[in-house]
Amino acid sequence: MQSFNLVTDPWIKVLDSDINSEKLVSLKELFRNAGSYRQLAGEMHAQDLAILRLLEAILITVYSRVDADNQIYDWVVLNKTMQVQTYENPAGLKLVKTLSKTWKKLYESGNFTDAIFEYLDKNITFFDFFGQRPFYQVTAEQYDSFVEDKKKIKKGSGTVDLMQMNRLISQSGNSIAIFAPKSSTWKNKLSLDELIRWLITYQNFTGVTDKTKVRAKEKHSNSRGWLYTLNPIFVKGNNLFQTLMLNLVLFNPSMPEYVPQQPVWEENLIEYVKKRLSRIKPDNIAETYTVWSRLLHIEWKEEGPVVFSAGLPAFESINTFDIEPMSIWRKNRKDGNFYPATKGLSNMGIAMWRNFGQYVPTMGNNEAKKPLAVEWLNFLKKKTDFSGNKMINLHTSGIISNGGATSLMPVAEFDDNLRIESDVLFDCSEDKANMWPARIEEMVELNQEVGRKYYRFLMEVGQIRFGQQGAGDFAARQSQAFYDSLNEPFTEWISGLTSNDNRETKQNAWKKELRQLALKILDDFLDIIAPRDISGEKDNNIFIAANRYRCGLNKVLRNG
């Protein structure tokens, strides 16, 4: 009988720091040698994020039950497989002190403890890709029991091609991916380790092209992958061990209470499907990180694997910031609730610095909610003498869909980072107005104001060239060049800030550089003007519009 176990067989791509090249490792190898690996190194950044969340689910499951000395916490009772049987809610102070000690001791040791390997050994059957309960899949009997008769496996419908699961291709039966990284002969072929990585990624970044659904009393739409709905944020360390530790959120610092962590492989399948059909949202982080969007079953044929897929409904995403650390949030003005801030085609080009106020909301900003990943970092800095990473590397990765309600097919990948000193990110100056986050947000808004003035200049040019109808599209396309020109210098300005800097001096230095950049983008544009731009109307040609833009810069950049 074929077997491939994720615990012991190599399937995760990492970048080995010692040999400076990629290698395949098992779960055990990864946790044992995480400090020797620079980072995950899969086929795309979005895939690495999906794998990272799986790894975090394992870590948070274990270390919410067992401390850094491999001792079970006194408020929880575990069974033989280290799963929670009963638990009590310890006092908040005790919980914070105990779990903080666990985190600190792990971080300072630079290694994960035997508890991780004991948990993996005792639950190894859940990680067998071909087992009686195959990893991230269901059996043929289970699949048939959850779908309509006409969708049963013997009917042969409801399949998803490997080239669609492979998010570098994402080719469905209705449209050909012309610029795919594989030829047509190889599009539908994957090695076993590739298949495992893409299967995990597919659960996280699923579109809605498939028609088969899990049978339910009430009609429901297939959900997209949960990670597909987020504009993610996580932290990158100097090596994979630091990355795993910095994202290991053991409790919510704002509301410290013990919540039993339960990744999907620990749940009873029938009960899990019932809960999903009831649209009950997860109540713990490990479940969120391993949530399924599809029931998948793989039939192994001579020509290769055939994947059957049945959709589950989405759970409610309102105010899920306590169970989803890796997301920024948007406030709905109508109901006052927070929802994940999805990245889409309309904001694909927006760099991380432009969302700075959503990572670290400033005083009085009720429209933003601090991501739990950032709140956890702030807690670590205050309570655990967190000093291993003076520079914080906030990172984002993901996939953008086409926005089509009937497909949500991937069209682009995004990946960006923002490096900032921890004392700057979490400035705790007594003078609230002098705190760096507020000052940085001032400069972000200043950049946006200059950007709006450049957009108005482009609108005037667009009206000269194309009339009122075409001006908006022209200005929208061209204005992105302004923000692109700011990305590198502004992120360098942020990464160069320190807690000892004079705020006014640093801000004025940026204003000066901003003025230079704003004038350069204008000069570059004027170098390629058309004859009609010059003639224009008597009181409206490109030079008059340019002068209005320069005057606007003088008003907003008085000290620059």
Side-chain angles (χ1 to χ4, degrees), residues 247-446:
N247 292 287
L248 179 55
V249 181
L250 291 177
F251 57 88
N252 186 340
S254 297
M255 299 178 291
E257 62 175 333
Y258 184 72
V259 179
Q261 301 295 318
Q262 192 173 36
V264 68
W265 54 80
E266 287 190 3
E267 299 207 41
N268 176 279
L269 181 62
I270 294 176
E271 294 303 315
Y272 181 69
V273 173
K274 284 181 180 178
K275 181 167 61 174
R276 291 301 306 278
L277 291 175
S278 299
R279 307 192 184 193
I280 298 173
K281 69 180 182 181
D283 62 4
N284 64 92
I285 296 171
E287 183 183 351
T288 305
Y289 282 176
T290 58
V291 68
W292 287 358
S293 60
R294 299 291 182 272
L295 293 187
L296 298 176
H297 170 70
I298 301 178
E299 286 283 300
W300 295 91
K301 308 288 186 180
E302 286 188 12
E303 61 273 18
V306 178
V307 183
F308 289 82
S309 173
L312 291 162
F315 57 83
E316 186 56 70
S317 62
I318 297 176
N319 298 334
T320 48
F321 35 77
D322 56 334
I323 58 166
E324 178 48 77
M326 296 184 185
S327 182
I328 60 175
W329 306 92
R330 62 174 180 84
K331 188 175 183 179
N332 186 305
R333 300 276 179 92
K334 293 182 179 179
D335 61 19
N337 292 310
F338 286 93
Y339 297 81
T342 304
K343 191 92 166 175
L345 286 172
S346 62
N347 57 8
M348 181 173 67
I350 295 181
M352 284 189 77
W353 63 262
R354 291 174 68 182
N355 287 322
F356 185 83
Q358 291 180 286
Y359 307 134
V360 189
T362 51
M363 295 292 292
N365 184 1
N366 296 321
E367 298 300 310
K369 176 74 178 177
K370 185 184 295 184
L372 185 51
V374 176
E375 191 173 350
W376 176 249
L377 276 182
N378 194 11
F379 169 82
L380 293 178
K381 185 176 185 300
K382 290 178 180 177
K383 301 297 184 182
T384 65
D385 299 324
F386 169 61
S387 57
N389 287 66
K390 183 178 180 181
M391 292 299 294
I392 298 296
N393 188 353
L394 299 179
H395 209 94
T396 187
S397 296
I399 298 174
I400 293 173
S401 78
N402 60 10
T406 59
S407 65
L408 293 177
M409 290 291 285
V411 293
E413 182 186 21
F414 62 92
D415 184 71
D416 195 10
N417 74 305
L418 184 66
R419 287 175 54 82
I420 184 169
E421 189 178 287
S422 59
D423 287 339
V424 172
L425 185 65
F426 304 119
D427 189 358
C428 53
S429 305
E430 292 185 8
D431 180 5
K432 302 297 184 184
N434 202 41
M435 291 169 66
W436 261 129
R439 294 293 189 123
I440 293 171
E441 186 63 9
E442 281 182 27
M443 295 299 96
V444 171
E445 178 52 38
L446 183 65

Side-chain angles (χ1 to χ4, degrees), residues 31-32 34-35 104-112 239 241:
F31 287 125
R32 186 174 290 116
K104 183 179 180 182
K105 196 166 184 178
L106 285 172
Y107 187 81
E108 291 178 347
S109 73
N111 295 288
F112 297 114
N239 56 48
F241 174 80

Side-chain angles (χ1 to χ4, degrees), residues 130-200:
F130 297 92
Q132 292 183 345
R133 183 175 173 177
F135 180 77
Y136 264 43
Q137 305 156 61
V138 296
T139 64
E141 293 76 16
Q142 289 169 335
Y143 185 88
D144 281 348
S145 71
F146 287 122
V147 299
E148 301 288 347
D149 288 342
K150 62 182 179 180
K151 296 291 186 178
K152 291 185 186 298
I153 291 170
K154 65 180 180 181
K155 300 291 186 180
S157 61
T159 61
V160 55
D161 290 333
L162 299 186
M163 60 185 173
Q164 185 167 337
M165 293 176 64
N166 182 340
R167 284 327 199 178
L168 290 175
I169 302 174
S170 298
Q171 179 173 315
S172 68
N174 299 320
S175 59
I176 298 175
I178 299 174
F179 300 105
K182 288 187 176 184
S183 66
S184 56
T185 306
W186 292 95
K187 279 182 181 179
N188 230 19
K189 296 183 185 296
L190 292 172
S191 64
L192 188 53
D193 59 281
E194 281 184 294
L195 175 59
I196 295 170
R197 292 193 298 274
W198 284 122
L199 182 142
I200 295 168

